Structures are given as C-alpha cells and as structure tokens.
Amino acid sequence: MSAGEVSVVVCAALGVEYLAVRDHLRGPFAEREERGTLYQIGVFPTGRGPCRVALTQTGAGATHAGIELERAISVFHPQMVLFVGVAGGRKDVSLGDVVIADHIYDYESGRETATDFLPRIKTAAPTTRLLRRAQQLARDEAWQHRILPATPATAPKAVVKPIAAGGKVVGDTGSATARFLDRHCGDAAAVEMEGHGFLHGAYLNDGVQALVVRGISDLLSGKSGAADEHWQPVASRHAAAFAFELLAHEAVPEAVLDGTHAYETARELEMRFETTVEDLVEIERLYREAAAAGHADAMARVGLIAEGRLRASRRGQESGEPSAADVETAMYWYAKSAELGSVFGALYLGRLYEERLGKPAEALKWYEKSADGGHGGARSRLEGLQRRLAMGLGPLQGRAQFDSTPQLPHPDERKPMATDTEYERWVEREWGGSKYRMFAFCLGDLDRECGGTYGEWGTLTEDESVAILGHFTLLMPTRIHLPAVALEYCRSIGEGNLRKFAADLRQGSGPRPEELAPVWWRQRAENRICTELFHYNFVLSVQDYDSLVSLVDALIGHMADDSASNPEALLNLRMLSRELAKRREQALPTESEGDWEFSLLVTQEQIGTFRRLAAMQSGNQEADADFRAFWQRVHAALEAATTAPFV
C-alpha cells in the first residue's frame, strides 16, 4: 500500500480513544512504521467509494500531538487530519456530549514576572470548510446513528464551541487554573491538552484540512477513577461517531485520489449519444484532473485533446492539422501514458508517429507494445502497416509521407541550424533523429522540475515555454542525465523567476545555458558522461533505511547552505534522495527477519557518491558510537550490494 492512497489521518492520545476510532474502519488492516511511530491503515466506506484512513496514537500533550501530526503529514500527505478524543466539560455541556472546536486557546502562554503571570493567550483555528460541515452536522443531529454499538436512549448533543488547551489536568472548579479560565477563556466549553499543538501543526502545512473533535468524559467537579472508567469509552465512541459522519461527507475516496472517479465520469459523458459544448468542456476538465492524479489512460485522452482528435470525434469531423506545439504536447502525454502501461497511450503514440511524423519504424514499435497489451485495434494497425511496408506502399491517404523529417521550429528562428551540427548529432544519437521525441521528453522534465502544469510552469505562455525549452535543449543532455540536468537548470533559475527568465531569453539576453547547469557542462567537457543506469540491490532494516533517508535530506540541506560544498556531489545526493524516497514501498522482505531488500536505479557516479558518504561517516571519530555504527551498517550494505545494468 503506498502512502499516497491514504487521504485521512486520525490522531488519538489515549488507547480508549484509538479503539473507538478503529471500530469504524474495515480491514484488512495494514501496519506501517515510520521513525518509531506505528500507523494502522484501514478502510472507511463512503457513499462515493472507499476512503483509506491512517490511525495513530500520539500520547498525551500538545508537543507530542504536534510532532506526530507533522510526521504523519510527511509520510502520507493526507487531505484531512482529525484529532479525536475526550475532554473535560467546563461550561454548557453534559457527560457524553461532543464538542467540536471552532478555535482552541493555549491558556498557558504568557509572561511570568516577579509578582504576577501576564497571560498572552494564543489561539489556533480549524479549517473553515470542516468547521462549516461540523456546524451543519451538529444542527441536524444525524450523526448520532453512527454511535457504536448502538445509539443510546438519551442521545448526546454536539456543539461547536471554543476549547481551552494546556498541560494541566483541571480537577476542580475552585482550582487556580479553573479560576484563570473563568477570567481569560470564559467561553471555552471544554478543557483538554493536545488540541492547540495539533491545530498549530496543521496550520504549518498548507492544503491540509484539520479539525478537533472531543467527547465529554468528565466535568471539572466530581472527578473519580470509577467515573472515568465508565465515561471515557462512552465519550470516545461519541466523538468517533461524529468524526466519521463528517468523513462520510468530506473525505476523498481512493478512486478520486488516483483519478479513477474523474476518468470514469468523463468516459460516461463521452459515451453519450449527444454531447453538448458544456459536456465537452467538462469532459476535458475531468480528463486533465485524472491525468494530474496519475491515471495512465486519462493521460492518453489528454493527448487526444491536445491533438484535436477528441473534440473532432465527438462532432463527427476529421481533426484538423495541429500546430507543432500541440504535437509536442500530445506526444508528451502519449509517451507518459505508455510508460505507465496504458495500451491506449502506446496506440495513440504509434498513430502520431505514423500519421503526423511519417516515422513508420517508431510507429511499429508502439503499435506492437499496445497489441501485446491486448488492444485489438493496435494489432490491426500493426499488421496493416507491416503489409504496406512489405509491398513497398507508402502512407495512408492524406497522411505524412514516410521518412520525412518534419522540422519543429527552433525557438530562435532567426538562427537556423545546419543539418550536420553537434546538436543534430545529439538528436540523432539520443532521440533516434526525432526532434518531437526530444522536445517531449525535455518538456516533461522541465515541467516537473519547474512546478508542474498546475504550478509555476503552468503560468507560462506558449511562447515563453518554447523559449525556455529551446534554451534548455542547447545543453544537449543525454537521456540518462536529463532528470539531473533539468533539476540543476531549474534550481539555478529559482522559484518564482520563470516568467522573467523567459522574457530575458526572448529579448536576446539572459545567461548562457551552461551557466545554469555547470555540473553537467563540466561532465560533458571532461567526457564523464554516463551511458548506463544500474540496479543496486542492498539489504537494510526498514528503520535504518528511513533513518538513511532523513540523514541524506539533512546533509543536502547542510551542503546547500555551505558555499564550499562540491556541487556535483550535492546534485548526486539530490537525485539519490529522490530515488530513495521513490523505492521504499517497492522493498522486498528477505529470509532474515527484519531485513528488506531495496533496489535503486542510479548511475555509477551517484552510487559512488553514496558509498563515499557512507565510508566517511562510518569512520567519523567525532560522532557518537551509535551514529558510526549506523553508517557502518549502511556502508557494509552498499559494499555487499549486487549490481545489474538496467535494460
């Protein structure tokens, strides 16, 4: 199970709260350990499809809640986080009622002088969307049907009110803390410990929706162990019931996360007998949404949109001649779709090579890939093209002539390149002579490194993106080096600078390409160009692997701040960090208990940097013994790694 499938994280401080939440989830449960924190992952069925929920117990206290929330967000990148548990009732609530915090006071913030304590109470608030939903559910009282094992005879109420949070357990209405709350947090309905730290942690992570839900397990007077033993489970179940009623309305199902829901909705609209203009707009929006979520077949449909085929087919027309930029965009999406295993992406890519570009050899390759995946139409195209070539026949009527070389306009059309230049030889050597393929792959990596279609890259006009793409391709990266060169190039431009950079290029100014990728340019000048990728398989415990990921990221941050750092080593570590993060979920268990086999796809230079780092740290006499022992294990694992070329 990948972390990206989890859309909701629920935190609880106590075991009784944890169990009340888990009762609403269905198995089979998966368990995940991350830097000492255990997560249990189950499924919550909603009317829109199943939603995956990760549950963890934080322990008591605001600090623990904030740290564990931050860790969970970094692991799962959830859409929503909830803290569900019990609280002490202070005002206008009864035992078993549920309080949803519209804001939480940190009542212990302040300044202590020689004679007095001067409060400086801080406030944390939940996400507005979840708060509005909570207000609606509290009004309607429909949430009570989710109370397990059954709705009690006297149904509890839910209220949306402030909560006070601090490190003290307030046990009496006459205590100093209770009197302090009367003076400074008079509208707080309940008192607890973790909520402020939790909401503050969520506030620091943009895009994460957060809410705190508490069941009243005791009042400020009349506390007893026997009462807690009865009311804590009751209050926990009531709070969990309200939380899951909210999730039923607000959680994003798994099918939405991976684009399946958007893709299937678009297909249903597309299959209608009659399609309106409004339908077409919605179809295209849904396909783009699904493609952005990683849906391979949706990516192929986005390619059809770029090529103009989707709208033409719905109108019963022949598609017109697309622009060079449209062909680039379509090729990018088809190639990405095919790489992810879509038979449609492979079919459409083959058709583009045959009909638009006149490249029958490339078309045959992609038709065959699609046919091998079971696409009957691709099989027909493959056999038809093979027969035509065997008989010496040319292209289909009205299509591009075979073996023609359509020239994609260079961003600087005032300086046409000669046909026998280093640039042309690079296109031939790395991209099979296809400028379209070269531009598509380079565009894909630039798009990813510069914020993506929906990030900073998406703000560029077509002319601006073409200017940057043309400038970048003058670096002539090999396919193996392309991701690293794109990373180096985009980091040199800097976030927020793309449009200004493009404007400078279009005015004939701006830096030379090699100034933005000095590591690659030096490797190229010194003929230190990698020609192969390798699988490096090594064995570590999951705990050591996760520690390794964290330490490599910390080292990258340190090196980035140190102007004396080796830029090539830093770039290698950045690429390694990405690979380490990507491959964790693909690890395989070994016969040795607790050990897993991890496989990295890297260059020899990158693994060389890795090995040198491990050797240096394992012999670092200034570090403590545990730190050296950890790096010695990593170094031994790397030295024992098996290596195989990536074919």
Side-chain angles (χ1 to χ4, degrees):
M1 178 185 301
S2 70
E5 294 173 341
V6 170
S7 64
V8 178
V9 170
V10 180
C11 297
L14 306 177
V16 66
E17 300 165 341
Y18 183 101
L19 293 174
V21 171
R22 194 180 64 180
D23 284 345
H24 288 266
L25 300 178
R26 292 181 182 175
F29 289 96
E31 188 175 278
R32 177 163 177 178
E33 185 271 338
E34 187 74 27
R35 288 175 283 170
T37 298
L38 287 176
Y39 302 95
Q40 202 166 22
I41 302 170
V43 174
F44 174 59
T46 74
R48 295 164 295 140
C51 163
R52 293 195 181 273
V53 178
L55 173 61
T56 188
Q57 185 174 341
T58 66
T63 301
H64 286 147
I67 291 172
E68 293 297 345
L69 175 65
E70 184 68 33
R71 182 170 296 167
I73 290 174
S74 69
V75 172
F76 297 108
H77 306 290
Q79 167 233 4
M80 186 189 308
V81 293
L82 302 179
F83 202 101
V84 179
V86 300
R90 182 185 167 275
K91 179 181 179 181
D92 300 332
V93 290
S94 302
L95 292 172
D97 286 348
V98 175
V99 180
I100 303 92
D102 58 5
H103 54 275
I104 295 184
Y105 301 120
D106 175 11
Y107 66 78
E108 292 189 313
S109 296
R111 179 186 175 198
E112 194 163 18
T113 68
T115 58
D116 203 359
F117 177 75
L118 305 177
R120 295 177 179 175
I121 293 176
K122 296 179 180 178
T123 302
T127 308
T128 301
R129 179 187 176 95
L130 297 187
L131 182 61
R132 296 289 178 262
R133 177 66 72 181
Q135 289 170 333
Q136 178 239 314
L137 296 177
R139 286 195 306 269
D140 296 347
E141 298 185 347
W143 64 274
Q144 296 164 351
H145 77 96
R146 290 192 183 271
I147 297 175
L148 298 176
T151 305
T154 303
K157 70 174 184 289
V159 296
V160 179
K161 288 180 177 292
I163 289 177
K168 299 181 178 70
V169 176
V170 186
D172 193 278
T173 55
S175 68
T177 302
R179 293 196 303 272
F180 178 90
L181 294 176
D182 289 340
R183 290 196 304 272
H184 300 288
C185 307
D187 58 347
V191 182
E192 45 101 311
M193 301 173 73
E194 298 82 19
H196 188 275
F198 178 83
L199 288 183
H200 182 67
Y203 169 77
L204 297 176
N205 289 271
D206 290 340
V208 179
Q209 301 180 58
L211 193 70
V212 173
V213 182
R214 295 288 189 173
I216 301 302
S217 62
D218 58 78
L219 303 177
L220 294 193
S221 59
K223 288 179 178 289
S224 71
D228 282 349
E229 189 173 342
H230 171 74
W231 280 107
Q232 281 191 353
V234 172
S236 297
R237 291 196 296 270
H238 293 180
F242 189 96
F244 278 94
E245 181 67 16
L246 182 136
L247 289 186
H249 291 81
E250 294 293 331
V252 177
E254 186 178 353
V256 175
L257 285 179
D258 65 13
T260 301
H261 179 74
Y263 176 79
E264 291 178 350
T265 304
R267 290 295 289 164
E268 288 176 8
L269 286 173
E270 195 179 347
M271 291 299 105
R272 287 180 179 175
F273 183 73
E274 293 184 356
T275 306
T276 66
V277 173
E278 290 77 13
D279 287 338
L280 282 171
V281 172
E282 180 64 5
I283 288 167
E284 293 182 2
R285 184 193 70 77
L286 289 167
Y287 279 141
R288 293 184 191 279
E289 177 185 318
H295 196 288
D297 289 346
M299 294 177 186
R301 307 303 288 180
V302 173
L304 291 179
I305 294 169
E307 213 182 338
R309 291 182 183 269
L310 190 141
R311 288 203 174 204
S313 68
R314 297 311 305 152
R315 293 169 176 165
Q317 303 170 346
E318 283 286 325
S319 60
E321 191 66 27
S323 68
D326 290 337
V327 171
E328 288 177 44
T329 302
M331 176 174 279
Y332 166 73
W333 285 111
Y334 294 154
K336 194 169 183 179
S337 172
E339 286 172 4
L340 292 175
S342 170
V343 295
F344 299 104
L347 168 65
Y348 301 154
L349 187 56
R351 182 174 63 185
L352 186 144
Y353 271 117
E354 179 187 358
E355 298 183 359
R356 303 286 192 199
L357 309 180
K359 298 282 186 181
E362 284 293 324
L364 287 171
K365 180 177 76 175
W366 292 107
Y367 286 156
E368 184 172 13
K369 182 177 178 67
S370 181
D372 288 346
H375 197 292
R379 177 67 62 188
S380 298
R381 280 184 170 270
L382 174 66
E383 293 172 354
L385 179 54
Q386 288 172 332
R387 286 195 296 271
R388 278 185 281 129
L389 292 174
M391 291 184 290
L393 300 177
L396 297 172
Q397 185 66 33
R399 304 297 189 255
Q401 292 298 308
F402 284 170
D403 294 323
S404 62
T405 310
Q407 295 297 315
L408 190 69
H410 191 274
D412 189 353
E413 294 183 338
R414 297 168 298 175
K415 301 176 182 178
M417 288 194 169
T419 57
D420 187 24
T421 64
E422 185 179 10
Y423 186 91
E424 295 292 329
R425 291 193 294 274
W426 165 67
V427 173
E428 183 65 36
R429 181 179 65 251
E430 294 293 328
W431 313 101
S434 170
K435 285 189 176 180
Y436 289 102
R437 175 186 278 186
M438 175 271 290
F439 278 114
F441 276 83
C442 290
L443 177 63
D445 279 84
L446 284 175
D447 177 286
R448 181 169 54 252
E449 296 300 338
C450 294
T453 306
Y454 298 103
E456 188 175 0
W457 186 267
T459 67
L460 299 177
T461 66
E462 181 177 329
D463 288 343
E464 289 170 338
S465 61
V466 167
I468 295 174
L469 181 61
H471 186 259
F472 175 77
T473 60
L474 295 178
L475 290 166
M476 295 175 279
T478 64
R479 289 186 67 168
I480 289 175
H481 282 273
L482 176 59
V485 178
L487 172 62
E488 185 182 18
Y489 182 86
C490 292
R491 289 188 69 86
S492 295
I493 295 172
E495 285 187 333
N497 298 326
L498 268 185
R499 299 205 71 174
K500 181 181 183 303
F501 176 68
D504 290 343
L505 292 180
R506 296 179 68 197
Q507 292 172 4
S509 57
R512 297 189 304 275
E514 58 267 29
E515 294 174 15
L516 301 180
V519 171
W520 160 247
W521 204 252
R522 185 168 58 254
Q523 289 172 331
R524 190 170 173 273
E526 296 171 0
N527 199 27
R528 294 189 292 112
I529 297 176
C530 300
T531 57
E532 281 187 294
L533 287 171
F534 292 86
H535 281 294
Y536 284 86
N537 304 308
F538 60 95
V539 176
L540 273 179
S541 70
V542 172
Q543 184 175 356
D544 277 352
Y545 188 89
D546 289 340
S547 297
L548 178 62
V549 172
S550 298
L551 287 170
V552 168
D553 288 344
L555 180 60
I556 289 171
H558 175 74
M559 292 178 66
D561 293 336
D562 185 357
S563 59
S565 295
N566 182 325
E568 184 170 347
L570 177 57
L571 182 60
N572 283 338
L573 283 178
R574 290 190 193 279
M575 299 304 294
L576 272 168
S577 173
R578 293 183 174 193
E579 187 69 9
L580 285 167
K582 184 193 306 182
R583 301 295 175 180
R584 185 191 190 279
E585 299 304 319
Q586 300 170 10
L588 298 173
T590 67
E591 294 180 358
S592 176
E593 184 177 355
D595 285 343
W596 291 69
E597 182 177 73
F598 299 89
S599 181
L600 303 183
L601 185 60
V602 290
T603 67
Q604 287 181 320
E605 285 74 11
Q606 289 164 358
I607 203 67
T609 298
F610 204 6
R611 282 173 165 160
R612 288 190 294 274
L613 169 65
M616 179 180 68
Q617 297 293 350
S618 63
N620 184 356
Q621 297 304 313
E622 296 181 1
D624 61 45
D626 288 343
F627 183 85
R628 289 199 307 275
F630 163 76
W631 279 106
Q632 286 164 4
R633 293 194 298 274
V634 173
H635 185 242
L638 294 178
E639 290 300 310
T642 60
T643 306
F646 173 68
V647 180

